[in-house]
């Protein structure tokens, strides 16, 4: 029976966190964990004394070394898929040849965005399990991209943006996920390869829960015919804080301790999203004009082309009048669990969305790209646990939505729905009968049988 597993995370915060959480979970079930990772954004090995790490050269220029994000994600990932092919194959070959006194390696678990790893796994006759760290609903939308293209939706003409897609309700044309890139042919090819190589894998894991995405899971089964396991929300087993690439500022918690229950809006747009100065100004004035207390994460790089501290608009500090607190990076999971937090204004990244759902915190959604558009629509229209800003970043709408959520009857209803979804999603992890727990048991049986 093979008990060693090789995991390979995509080197972005939103992908590293769930992969490390999965590694911890499988380790707690008796597996030996080997992590192969790139030099770029490499995890802090000292936090995982039980894992073995192998670093591979990623061919990136030195100036990328301290970056936690990049402005053309698809091109960047495509480049990494190309650059890592040979070093990854050599690293794996070494691991597979050094079997003396070691259990055999039973499978490779790699992010679906590492499409190149499927051919390498096939070459070594080693099963590969693909791990999709984003939502099932978004993966389904990617499956339907050829259909959307055929229908002419991908041109996203202004007159069509608000039209609902009959092929995938409740998405609107403007919600069709696109990946950040200067060149759309690169995006198309990237998604095609990602899907093709996922279909060729021996299994597929989602960090989600049946309680949340059962319908989408059934629909995915019509496109992908490999064993599929829904194991999330993984951050409930092991928190994301240990795999944080940036230092989390804990003064955020002591500041929250002094605030009234459910009064604070937590504002954070994840590790990759960027905005220009005009958008940053809309965000600032939207929050200030709402007159609500806020905790705002302004990470280095949130303002395009700026790794330095951001200069806030003139008059903003006087206008917010001490109601707010700004940090560069927060202990987000703990913040969302704090009794003072009343709403989460998020970019709708999948980890952020799951973390918010698990704490029953209603959301204000400002999606920027990719899966965020689909997650946001589901939060607004399907789960009904938040409100999407439909006009992008505009101070008037921001102020109005904050008021609707924090002080009107509609907000109370959304909060009640969020609380009941929290109970449901958390029950999926229960040891006896929880859907994710059952799926985990099936997954373990499956990889042991490979
Ligand atoms: N995060 C954090 N501190 C912050 C903001 C975000 O620790 O101040 C974590 C958050 O808890 C989540 C991850 O960073 O686990 C962001 O992942 P997500 O999928 O939401 O967005 P991405 O960064 O991939 O766009």
């Amino acid at each position: 029976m093979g008990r060693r597993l090789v995991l390979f995370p995509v080197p972005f915060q939103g992908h590293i966190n769930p992969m490390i959480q999965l590694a911890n979970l499988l380790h707690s079930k008796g597996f030996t964990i080997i992590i192969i990772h790139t030099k770029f954004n490499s995890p802090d090995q000292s936090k995982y004394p039980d894992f073995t790490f192998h670093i591979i050269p990623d061919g990136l220029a030195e100036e990328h070394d301290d970056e936690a994000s990049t402005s053309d994600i698809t091109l960047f990932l495509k480049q990494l898929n190309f650059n890592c092919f040979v070093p990854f194959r050599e690293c794996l070959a070494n691991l597979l040849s050094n079997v003396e006194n070691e259990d055999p390696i039973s499978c490779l678990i790699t992010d679906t965005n590492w499409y190149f790893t499927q051919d390498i796994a096939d070459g070594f006759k080693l099963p590969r399990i693909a791990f999709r760290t984003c939502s099932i609903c978004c993966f389904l939308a990617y499956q339907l991209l050829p259909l959307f293209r055929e229908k002419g939706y991908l041109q996203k003409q202004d007159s069509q943006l608000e039209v609902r897609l009959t092929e995938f309700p409740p998405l609107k044309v403007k919600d069709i996920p696109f990946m950040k890139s200067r060149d759309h042919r690169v995006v198309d090819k990237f998604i095609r390869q990602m899907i093709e190589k996922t279909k060729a894998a021996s299994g597929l894991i989602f960090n989600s829960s049946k309680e949340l995405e059962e319908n989408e899971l059934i629909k995915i089964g019509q496109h992908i015919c490999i064993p599929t396991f829904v194991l999330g929300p993984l951050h409930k087993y092991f928190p994301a804080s240990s795999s944080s690439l940036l230092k989390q500022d804990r003064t955020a918690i002591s500041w929250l301790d002094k605030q009234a229950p459910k009064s604070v809006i937590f504002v954070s747009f994840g590790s990759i999203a960027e905005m220009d100065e005009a958008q940053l100004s809309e965000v600032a004035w939207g929050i200030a004009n709402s007159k609500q207390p806020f905790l705002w994460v302004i990470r280095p790089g949130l303002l395009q082309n700026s790794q330095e501290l951001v200069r806030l608009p003139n008059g903003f500090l006087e206008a917010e009048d001490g109601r707010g607190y700004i940090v560069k990076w927060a202990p987000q999971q703990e913040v969302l669990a704090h009794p003072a937090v009343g709403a989460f204004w998020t970019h709708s990244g999948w980890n952020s969305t799951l973390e918010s759902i698990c704490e029953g915190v209603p959301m204000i959604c400002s999606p920027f790209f990719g899966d965020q558009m689909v997650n946001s629509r589901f939060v607004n229209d399907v789960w009904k646990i938040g409100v999407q800003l439909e006009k992008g970043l505009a101070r008037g709408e921001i102020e109005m939505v904050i008021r609707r959520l924090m002080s009107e009857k509609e907000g109370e209803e959304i909060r009640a729905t969020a609380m009941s979804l929290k109970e449901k999603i958390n029950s999926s992890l229960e040891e006896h009968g929880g859907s994710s727990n059952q799926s985990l048991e099936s997954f373990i049986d499956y990889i042991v049988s490979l």
Side-chain angles (χ1 to χ4, degrees):
M1 181 172 70
R3 306 291 286 183
R4 284 199 303 159
L5 304 173
V6 178
L7 282 70
F8 184 36
V10 156
F12 285 114
Q13 188 72 79
H15 294 255
I16 293 172
N17 287 356
M19 187 65 92
I20 293 282
Q21 287 154 4
L22 180 66
N24 271 311
L25 179 59
L26 294 172
H27 181 259
S28 75
K29 297 290 174 190
F31 290 91
T32 300
I33 302 295
I34 300 166
I35 302 219
I36 301 180
H37 62 90
T38 56
K39 184 161 177 279
F40 172 72
N41 275 348
S42 51
D44 180 353
Q45 301 188 14
S46 67
K47 292 189 175 147
Y48 315 99
D50 295 327
F51 300 172
T52 310
F53 287 85
H54 294 272
I55 191 163
I56 55 167
D58 49 35
L60 296 173
E62 285 300 311
E63 68 256 27
H64 280 292
D65 280 4
D66 294 324
E67 272 184 26
S69 70
T70 183
S71 58
D72 192 330
I73 299 293
T74 320
L75 208 57
F76 188 82
L77 284 173
K78 178 188 158 221
Q79 193 65 44
L80 275 182
N81 268 275
F82 179 81
N83 294 357
C84 292
F85 189 97
V86 173
F88 183 83
R89 191 180 53 198
E90 281 172 5
C91 181
L92 198 57
N94 269 334
L95 286 168
L96 288 166
S97 61
N98 289 337
V99 287
E100 261 177 60
N101 306 324
E102 298 259 33
D103 287 328
I105 291 173
S106 58
C107 69
L108 190 61
I109 302 180
T110 67
D111 196 298
T112 48
N113 285 334
W114 284 135
Y115 53 76
F116 80 93
T117 58
Q118 187 59 46
D119 290 351
I120 293 179
D122 291 344
F124 287 120
K125 299 201 170 10
L126 184 66
R128 169 194 177 223
I129 306 288
F131 180 21
R132 186 79 193 152
T133 59
C134 307
S135 55
I136 305 177
C137 52
C138 174
F139 199 51
L140 189 56
Y142 280 134
Q143 298 287 330
L144 297 176
L145 279 184
L147 177 66
F148 297 155
R149 182 175 300 105
E150 205 178 282
K151 299 260 173 171
Y153 297 144
L154 295 193
Q155 282 136 22
K156 293 201 175 186
Q157 282 156 356
D158 284 351
S159 58
Q160 279 190 324
L161 291 180
E162 296 297 328
V163 172
R164 298 266 182 195
L165 299 172
T166 46
E167 301 81 3
F168 191 174
L171 292 200
K172 297 181 179 182
V173 169
K174 69 176 183 184
D175 304 326
I176 294 176
F178 66 92
M179 308 250 293
K180 249 171 110 181
S181 184
R182 286 182 283 275
D183 185 346
H184 275 269
R185 284 164 310 180
V186 175
V187 177
D188 282 0
K189 193 165 171 210
F190 185 91
I191 293 173
R192 232 183 12 257
Q193 284 175 301
M194 184 271 287
I195 289 178
E196 201 183 291
K197 299 302 178 189
T198 300
K199 287 180 174 168
S202 301
L204 174 61
I205 301 172
F206 284 108
N207 180 21
S208 186
S209 128
K210 267 192 189 164
E211 277 63 17
L212 202 56
E213 297 195 278
E214 185 151 31
N215 289 339
E216 290 65 42
L217 185 64
I218 293 167
K219 287 182 195 150
I220 273 291
Q222 294 159 6
H223 297 267
I224 297 210
C225 308
I226 54 174
T228 299
F229 306 92
V230 185
L231 306 184
L234 290 168
H235 73 275
K236 291 297 284 184
Y237 292 105
F238 293 93
S241 51
S242 76
S243 46
S244 189
L245 293 167
L246 298 172
K247 191 171 182 316
Q248 297 181 326
D249 185 343
R250 299 203 53 81
T251 63
I253 302 294
S254 32
W255 180 82
L256 283 172
D257 288 341
K258 293 183 216 118
Q259 309 304 315
K262 302 217 182 316
S263 66
V264 174
I265 304 163
F266 174 50
V267 186
S268 171
F269 303 112
S271 62
I272 300 173
E274 292 174 347
M275 52 182 73
D276 58 26
E277 258 180 65
Q279 290 173 311
L280 191 95
S281 173
E282 292 305 302
V283 173
W285 284 114
I287 318 178
N289 295 343
S290 78
K291 307 268 184 264
Q292 204 70 37
F294 62 90
L295 171 63
W296 185 7
V297 177
I298 306 186
R299 62 153 225 284
L302 174 66
L303 180 64
Q304 261 157 20
N305 307 320
S306 150
Q307 290 297 315
E308 301 303 317
L309 253 196
V310 167
R311 203 145 35 96
L312 292 161
N314 282 340
F316 169 75
L317 291 178
E318 292 78 6
E320 61 98 355
D321 198 21
R323 279 187 301 276
Y325 193 64
I326 295 176
V327 291
K328 282 193 195 168
W329 196 243
Q332 179 165 303
Q333 235 175 284
E334 263 180 85
V335 167
L336 289 167
H338 197 285
V341 171
F344 180 19
W345 180 5
T346 170
H347 68 308
S348 298
W350 186 235
N351 295 287
S352 296
T353 304
L354 279 180
E355 289 161 16
S356 199
I357 293 175
C358 287
E359 300 306 333
V361 176
M363 284 168 263
I364 298 170
C365 304
S366 292
F368 284 71
F369 61 86
D371 64 315
Q372 299 157 15
M373 341 279 274
V374 183
N375 301 339
S376 172
R377 182 62 57 209
F378 268 64
V379 165
N380 189 93
D381 288 53
V382 179
W383 304 315
K384 299 184 193 305
I385 50 172
V387 181
Q388 174 164 342
L389 294 173
E390 299 286 354
K391 297 186 184 136
L393 296 171
R395 65 184 78 182
E397 190 190 20
I398 295 166
E399 187 190 337
M400 186 190 72
V401 166
I402 292 178
R403 200 168 318 113
R404 269 169 63 194
L405 204 55
M406 300 302 277
S407 43
E408 291 180 8
K409 176 123 189 28
E410 183 192 3
E412 275 172 40
E413 285 164 12
I414 292 175
R415 193 173 303 281
T417 312
M419 284 312 287
S420 91
L421 191 58
K422 168 186 167 169
E423 302 306 324
K424 262 203 215 163
I425 194 168
N426 287 334
S427 74
S428 65
L429 300 180
E430 275 167 17
E431 274 201 19
H432 302 290
S435 65
S436 292
N437 192 266
Q438 282 177 348
S439 197
L440 176 63
E441 281 169 20
S442 317
F443 176 66
I444 291 170
D445 290 346
Y446 181 63
I447 50 177
V448 166
S449 75
L450 284 170

